[in-house]
Amino acid sequence: MSDVEHDPQPSPDASARGASLDQVLQVSSRLATAMSSVIEGKQAVVRTAVTVLLAEGHLLVEDVPGVGKTLLAKTLARCIDAPVRRVQFTPDLLPSDITGVSVYNQDVRDFEFRPGAIFANVVVGDEINRASPKTQSALLESMEEGQVTVDGTTYTLPRPFIVMATQNPIEMEGTYPLPEAQRDRFMARISMGYPSPRSELEMLDLHGAGSPLDALRPVTEAATVQQMIEAVRRVHASPAVKQYIVDLVGATRSSSALRLGASPRATLHLLRASRAHAALAGRDHVLPDDVQQVTVPVLAHRLIPTGETQMARRTTADVLTDLLQRVRVPAPTR
């Protein structure tokens, strides 16, 4: 008998749109509850991870050692009854370990393709900045297009597909910082942060005798997640909201505090994340507040501050906070 809690079927008289949004709310609530049972006191982090999943994005978890980066990725993977692969990035990891390799089969006297670690619904990449740039670049095509090309043949990756990568920004010896082209393919970057004293005390009780991850059971499956993604795609974004997104991204390109603004890909990711945020709130339309809530995690890691900004000890998140206050907010419309 499966451990997955099967999702209730929508009533026949419910509209497909309404039923899909109801399903998003029900399943995402179970998903967040299950993840929060392992990741204590980090509701905002959990919500962002679920938002990226439903927005068809990839997540970069960047923070100091020991705060639960890998645990967050493994927890989300465990909550979905789907193929999951974990890759420990090291300097000797080869691109073929990620994408796969063609091997000669003497029985059939021909080459056959053996899939690499990327062929899974959820791929957990631990310490991605420890791999060589050549290996890191093996992820580029798969993250952007959901496919892998080996020896001239293109292979489609399973759906849904999400890469959750972790990296430590403090210990830089023996690491290879992610190039901008790679960072831009991650929809959002989050930091775990230290837990509150209360959450840390609860952690001692919960994790002291063993890992709660061992007792965690899937609450949904890949097919259901894909249905939720389809529902999020149908969330309406008005022309005014789309213009607001374009104005925000454009403000990063003209800001004197930034040396590099956000890319057109960032504009698209901001729209997708806003739609997912609205769906998680039970709405079938995007509000400016949805855009504001996801702007920092979606845009901050793509921006490069000027030397003056760094000297003033201001982060790209600080710059975005200022821009959010300056860019005109449209009146909420449907």
Side-chain angles (χ1 to χ4, degrees):
M1 185 174 181
S2 173
D3 290 321
V4 178
E5 299 179 17
H6 291 286
D7 305 311
Q9 295 296 320
S11 57
D13 57 341
S15 67
R17 186 187 186 94
S20 296
L21 285 177
D22 288 343
Q23 187 181 44
V24 170
L25 280 175
Q26 293 169 12
V27 178
S28 62
S29 177
R30 294 206 305 265
L31 194 58
T33 300
M35 293 180 66
S36 296
S37 68
V38 178
I39 310 295
E40 300 88 0
K42 297 294 180 182
Q43 286 80 9
V45 170
V46 168
R47 184 181 180 87
T48 301
V50 176
T51 299
V52 172
L53 173 68
L54 298 184
E56 300 179 273
H58 307 289
L59 184 65
L60 179 63
V61 189
E62 186 176 274
D63 214 325
V64 297
V67 293
K69 301 186 298 296
T70 304
L71 184 62
L72 172 70
K74 291 170 68 175
T75 300
L76 177 59
R78 186 68 65 87
C79 288
I80 303 173
D81 186 21
V84 177
R85 298 292 295 271
R86 180 177 181 271
V87 183
Q88 181 66 52
F89 282 85
T90 56
D92 60 348
L93 191 71
L94 299 175
S96 58
D97 296 328
I98 304 294
T99 60
V101 63
S102 295
V103 179
Y104 186 75
N105 188 332
Q106 292 186 350
D107 294 335
V108 297
R109 296 181 181 276
D110 198 2
F111 286 91
E112 62 179 19
F113 178 67
R114 294 187 180 178
I118 201 69
F119 284 84
N121 292 111
V122 182
V123 179
V124 179
D126 208 8
E127 296 187 284
I128 189 174
N129 56 334
R130 291 199 176 277
S132 67
K134 186 176 182 179
T135 301
Q136 291 175 1
S137 66
L139 289 171
L140 293 177
E141 181 186 14
S142 59
M143 291 176 64
E144 180 67 16
E145 303 175 27
Q147 63 184 29
V148 169
T149 302
V150 178
D151 294 335
T153 303
T154 299
Y155 304 91
T156 303
L157 296 175
R159 294 289 184 178
F161 174 66
I162 180 173
V163 174
M164 299 183 65
T166 71
Q167 71 172 354
N168 171 16
I170 304 300
E171 184 184 352
M172 301 305 295
E173 183 177 354
T175 63
Y176 304 88
L178 290 178
E180 295 306 318
Q182 182 77 359
R183 295 172 70 88
D184 198 49
R185 280 165 169 77
F186 285 98
M187 175 172 283
R189 180 192 64 181
I190 58 175
S191 297
M192 300 294 295
Y194 290 114
S196 65
R198 180 177 179 180
S199 297
E200 198 160 10
L201 186 61
E202 293 176 353
M203 181 192 71
L204 294 180
D205 294 332
L206 188 61
H207 295 255
S211 174
L213 192 62
D214 297 335
L216 194 63
R217 294 291 178 266
V219 298
T220 188
E221 55 195 10
T224 300
V225 172
Q226 189 60 38
Q227 292 173 8
M228 295 165 67
I229 290 173
E230 295 292 340
V232 168
R233 288 177 181 172
R234 295 193 296 270
V235 172
H236 176 68
S238 68
V241 168
K242 291 179 180 178
Q243 185 62 54
Y244 181 51
I245 291 175
V246 171
D247 291 344
L248 276 174
V249 173
T252 67
R253 299 168 187 166
S254 59
S255 173
S256 60
L258 299 173
R259 185 159 55 90
L260 178 68
S263 67
R265 183 189 288 117
T267 310
L268 182 59
H269 283 182
L270 188 55
L271 174 61
R272 290 177 178 174
S274 300
R275 281 177 168 151
H277 191 277
L280 291 176
R283 280 181 278 101
D284 63 354
H285 60 284
V286 179
L287 297 178
D289 183 62
D290 296 313
V291 180
Q292 294 170 354
Q293 291 296 319
V294 299
T295 292
V296 172
V298 171
L299 297 186
H301 64 291
R302 308 169 193 262
L303 310 178
I304 298 180
T306 62
E308 291 79 5
T309 302
Q310 292 176 311
M311 290 289 290
R313 296 189 176 182
R314 299 181 68 221
T315 65
T316 53
D318 296 330
V319 175
L320 284 171
T321 301
D322 292 343
L323 293 179
L324 283 170
Q325 295 175 351
R326 287 166 40 196
V327 177
R328 188 183 66 84
V329 180
T333 57
R334 291 293 297 275

